[in-house]
Amino acid sequence: FMLGKILPRFKDTVVSKVTEREIENFYKDVQSESGIKQVLETHKVLNQFFNFLVKSNRCITENPAPKYFIERLKKQNSNSKKDKELIEKPIDLEDAKSILKAVKGNRDEIVYHWAIYHGCRPSEALGVDWSNVDLRKDILHIRQQIVDVSARQVAGTTHEGKENVKIGTPKTPESNRDIPLHPHTKALLLQTPVEERKGLVYLTTKGTPCTASNWHKNHFKPLMVKLGLENSTITETYDLRKFFATHHA
């Protein structure tokens, strides 16, 4: 937040001359662009920075961050959460069945199998390789995931502006795990000719790895809207992993 939002706005400003009004206007701009949550997260960083300066007797003696403005935003955020809870409903077995029915025969079907039947994270589901699937022992080995390469990492290179993807290790060492292969998923995988069972199980229409952000924007979200589930707690593919856990529990 400091590098991405605060410094680009205040980098040429003398700290001791920053006013409460300037910060409030900055927060309003962040709210307009990214919403209340981003303002509150940005404020955490900037407020901590100012408090550090005050406590260490550097530059300023008072924190110029707009307290009343932030309190008002916190209240608005709290109210919006309550309103959202009124219209949200948890995903249940019927919802999961509706999703699987909607994607049956579709090339996206396998990703939903990994999420609903196996509890995979989106990046894990998109990163499953045929070498990770043991069709003889009916086991899925989670050993890798699709990783988005940040724009900052490729800024100024020939890769700038392109979708940059790499295959990385799972989120934590414990995420390396073996999962029983669901019979429905095995039946789906067996539809792929033997000679084609190599590389990533799921690829984009261009034949490239699919990132979690690409999947959410162009595949998952449109389906939720089509099924009328956009106001449920299924806001991202990861929520299907939560369903997997609660359903089995």
Side-chain angles (χ1 to χ4, degrees):
F1 287 93
M2 180 65 82
L3 294 174
K5 294 186 181 298
I6 298 169
L7 286 179
R9 177 69 169 259
F10 294 103
K11 62 182 179 181
D12 297 321
T13 309
V14 176
V15 175
S16 60
K17 293 184 179 180
V18 177
T19 66
E20 183 175 333
R21 176 57 61 86
E22 286 179 306
I23 299 172
E24 184 173 323
N25 288 336
F26 166 55
Y27 286 168
K28 286 179 179 178
D29 289 341
V30 174
Q31 181 182 358
S32 176
E33 292 177 8
S34 310
I36 292 178
K37 185 176 179 181
Q38 287 287 298
V39 178
L40 298 178
E41 292 297 328
T42 304
H43 172 71
K44 284 181 183 178
V45 177
L46 191 54
N47 191 55
Q48 185 175 356
F49 171 65
F50 285 140
N51 282 337
F52 163 74
L53 295 178
V54 172
K55 290 179 181 178
S56 57
N57 295 314
R58 303 184 186 186
C59 308
I60 55 177
T61 56
E62 291 184 6
N63 186 335
K67 297 183 179 66
Y68 295 113
F69 178 78
I70 290 298
E71 289 304 318
R72 191 160 67 247
L73 281 189
K74 286 180 178 178
K75 189 173 182 180
Q76 287 179 30
N77 191 48
S78 177
N79 290 336
S80 67
K81 282 183 178 178
K82 290 177 182 177
D83 292 338
K84 192 175 181 182
E85 287 170 359
L86 293 175
I87 62 171
E88 282 186 346
K89 70 180 186 67
I91 177 176
D92 56 26
L93 183 59
E94 292 307 311
D95 292 331
K97 287 181 177 179
S98 295
I99 292 171
L100 290 169
K101 182 178 180 181
V103 297
K104 189 168 182 61
N106 187 298
R107 60 189 310 277
D108 290 353
E109 184 178 3
I110 187 61
V111 181
Y112 288 98
H113 272 246
W114 296 140
I116 293 174
Y117 288 131
H118 304 83
C120 292
R121 297 179 177 90
S123 54
E124 293 173 345
L126 296 166
V128 173
D129 191 276
W130 280 102
S131 64
N132 303 139
V133 183
D134 190 329
L135 293 170
R136 187 172 59 84
K137 295 182 178 179
D138 295 339
I139 295 175
L140 169 64
H141 304 286
I142 300 299
R143 297 292 185 272
Q144 61 187 40
Q145 66 175 351
I146 296 297
V147 180
D148 276 300
V149 180
S150 71
R152 185 181 300 167
Q153 285 180 277
V154 296
T157 71
T158 56
H159 299 286
E160 186 171 2
K162 302 175 183 178
E163 183 175 60
N164 295 285
V165 187
K166 67 178 182 179
I167 296 175
T169 55
K171 187 176 180 180
T172 64
E174 293 75 20
S175 297
N176 288 285
R177 60 198 187 279
D178 296 334
I179 305 170
L181 185 63
H182 195 285
H184 290 341
T185 307
K186 181 177 181 178
L188 177 61
L189 293 169
L190 288 174
Q191 293 176 21
T192 301
V194 176
E195 63 272 15
E196 295 179 16
R197 297 174 192 173
K198 53 187 176 182
L200 293 174
V201 175
Y202 182 84
L203 294 168
T204 67
T205 53
K206 296 179 181 179
T208 58
C210 183
T211 64
S213 56
N214 180 346
W215 170 264
H216 177 76
K217 179 181 178 181
N218 299 311
H219 302 263
F220 178 77
K221 195 173 181 180
L223 179 64
M224 295 306 104
V225 173
K226 179 181 177 181
L227 295 177
L229 294 173
E230 69 272 24
N231 288 329
S232 71
T233 53
I234 318 173
T235 58
E236 53 184 52
T237 311
Y238 192 92
D239 292 316
L240 300 179
R241 172 175 161 84
K242 297 176 185 176
F243 161 75
F244 170 83
T246 54
H247 174 68
H248 284 281

